[in-house]
Amino acid sequence: MYFSRSWILISALALCAPAAAAPTREAASAPRPDGPPMRVTIVRGAYPGCEPNCEEWIAAEGRIEKQSPALFRAAIDAAEPRKPPILIHSGGGDVDSAIAIGRLLRQKGFQVAVARTEFLAEAAPAAAEPARGKIKKLEPPHARGFARSLQASCASACTLILAAGTQRYVGPTALVGLHDIVVPETTVTQTMRYYRIRTLTKGGRVVSKEKVFVGEKSFVRHIGRSKPTPETYRRVRRYLAEMGETKEVVDLMMTAPPESIRWLTRAELVSTKLATDERGGETLVAYVPPPPPPKFAVRPIYETFVALQRERAVSPPAPPIRPSSWFELNRDWALPAGLSGGLLLLLILSSLFRTLRGPEPQRWRPPVAGDAP
């Protein structure tokens, strides 16, 4: 037993040595894939003055493991019908579990942001105890805290969860990293059971057989890291196609060995569609104080009516307004038009009078010498 533990420790140190020597840039507080298991917590903001309207979010931090999808589902069920944003801070973990979480988040329509949560000391969630036996119902922990995108990171399999968000928020101070897929090292315990077969014969014939348990022995088997099969890459590509992402994500995974990590630039985050918004995750849950009241408040209707009556009593009554006549409103054109119309009417009457009177009679005068006979 002591030899096995020492051999596992030496193997782990040997595997970590190349990663420490690799000249790659890492986040100051980036969670390691071999760190504590993921903890999913429903957090209520502790910003000053936010009560009673403090925002809530679901904080997911730590290594992605087989039980992580169940933790997400329990937190989502506890938050329904609300859909608080998912703030994730993880160094990666199990690929299949990340895909299961991503499909759940896309089905429910959640927003995902790369941000870490600073819990209040008196309201931090208790450390999760190892599960024993079958759990009927998971109860997610609740806590109070603040959201921070500074030094937050989402690397390796965590990017598959980030890709599932309907909106994906990666602030300028948050990091998103990729590296080649690797099957992590595991320790498997195998148990061998020994039985004894008792056979009863009579006259050369087998009458009965009985299997009797003798004992068992356990063996600890250590399985080191290995490269994934091509089917793993095809499964990741199909998943990213479901999420609407490009195949560039898998191509960028293959550019960095498992011992290092490639932190994506802002241009790569946009081209791979892993970031749809450059705002930090804290902007989704930060407290925004209500606007101040107006400088001059609106008075009640009764007070306004009384004030108007007082103003009318003090001021002298205004003279009544006489409506303008039609001629006053149209004097600019009515006078010239009237004169022209009167002159025309006079000419018409004069012509009509001469027509009715007929031609004038000729008067007789005595003949004058020289007139024609």
Side-chain angles (χ1 to χ4, degrees):
M1 180 62 69
Y2 294 103
F3 173 76
S4 299
R5 291 181 179 176
S6 302
W7 183 77
I8 293 173
L9 179 60
I10 294 173
S11 301
L13 293 175
L15 291 173
C16 293
T24 56
R25 180 175 63 91
E26 295 191 359
S29 64
R32 301 293 303 172
D34 53 353
M38 176 166 283
R39 183 177 58 184
V40 182
T41 311
I42 299 178
V43 185
R44 182 176 176 86
Y47 299 95
C50 70
E51 294 294 349
N53 300 318
C54 297
E55 298 289 343
E56 289 187 350
W57 66 91
I58 297 178
E61 300 187 2
R63 184 181 68 253
I64 304 171
E65 293 187 337
K66 296 295 183 182
Q67 66 270 20
S68 297
L71 298 177
F72 267 90
R73 186 175 295 277
I76 291 174
D77 293 342
E80 284 184 347
R82 296 171 290 108
K83 291 184 180 180
I86 308 294
L87 272 56
I88 192 167
H89 177 55
S90 172
D94 185 67
V95 173
D96 294 333
S97 298
I99 291 176
I101 295 171
R103 285 184 173 138
L104 174 64
L105 297 183
R106 176 58 64 89
Q107 178 186 1
K108 299 291 185 178
F110 278 85
Q111 297 176 334
V112 181
V114 180
R116 56 190 181 86
T117 301
E118 294 181 359
F119 298 99
L120 294 180
E122 64 274 10
E129 297 182 356
R132 298 178 180 178
K134 186 177 180 181
I135 302 177
K136 295 182 179 181
K137 184 179 180 181
L138 293 174
E139 293 293 341
H142 292 70
R144 301 292 300 274
F146 307 91
R148 300 281 188 267
S149 61
L150 180 63
Q151 296 184 343
S153 65
C154 178
S156 187
C158 175
T159 57
L160 302 179
I161 300 178
L162 176 63
T166 55
Q167 294 290 329
R168 298 169 287 282
Y169 297 84
V170 181
T173 58
L175 297 175
V176 176
L178 298 171
H179 65 75
D180 198 7
I181 301 176
V182 62
V183 179
E185 57 184 15
T186 57
T187 300
V188 180
T189 302
Q190 296 179 339
T191 302
M192 299 290 294
R193 293 188 175 184
Y194 300 92
Y195 296 87
R196 179 181 300 170
I197 306 298
R198 294 179 179 178
T199 305
L200 178 62
T201 60
K202 184 177 181 181
R205 295 172 51 190
V206 177
V207 177
S208 64
K209 286 185 177 182
E210 182 182 3
K211 184 170 67 173
V212 180
F213 174 74
V214 176
E216 64 180 13
K217 187 176 182 181
S218 298
F219 301 90
V220 178
R221 180 185 177 189
H222 180 76
I223 302 175
R225 294 189 306 173
S226 61
K227 292 185 177 181
T229 61
E231 176 60 27
T232 303
Y233 287 102
R234 287 193 293 268
R235 188 165 65 253
V236 173
R237 289 182 185 272
R238 288 195 300 267
Y239 166 76
L240 292 174
E242 294 176 15
M243 302 297 110
E245 311 307 315
T246 62
K247 64 179 181 180
E248 187 180 356
V249 174
V250 180
D251 298 336
L252 292 176
M253 286 180 180
M254 298 179 179
T255 59
E259 294 81 9
S260 63
I261 192 166
R262 174 172 179 167
W263 300 109
L264 303 183
T265 63
R266 178 57 58 177
E268 290 172 337
L269 288 172
V270 174
S271 63
T272 56
K273 300 180 182 178
L274 286 177
T276 60
D277 199 307
E278 62 181 4
R279 290 179 295 170
E282 67 273 13
T283 60
L284 300 177
V285 296
Y287 171 66
V288 179
K295 187 176 181 181
F296 300 99
V298 180
R299 291 179 294 182
I301 298 176
Y302 177 75
E303 295 181 3
T304 305
F305 174 76
V306 172
L308 290 176
Q309 293 297 329
R310 290 176 180 174
E311 292 176 2
R312 291 176 181 177
V314 173
S315 60
I321 300 176
R322 182 181 62 86
S324 301
S325 63
W326 180 88
F327 182 76
E328 291 176 349
L329 296 175
N330 303 279
R331 67 173 61 184
D332 295 335
W333 63 272
L335 184 59
L339 294 176
S340 301
L343 181 60
L344 180 61
L345 180 61
L346 182 60
L347 294 175
I348 293 174
L349 293 177
S350 175
S351 175
L352 181 61
F353 178 74
R354 287 196 299 268
T355 302
L356 294 176
R357 189 180 62 176
E360 294 182 357
Q362 296 183 357
R363 297 180 179 179
W364 179 89
R365 64 184 179 85
V368 181
D371 290 343

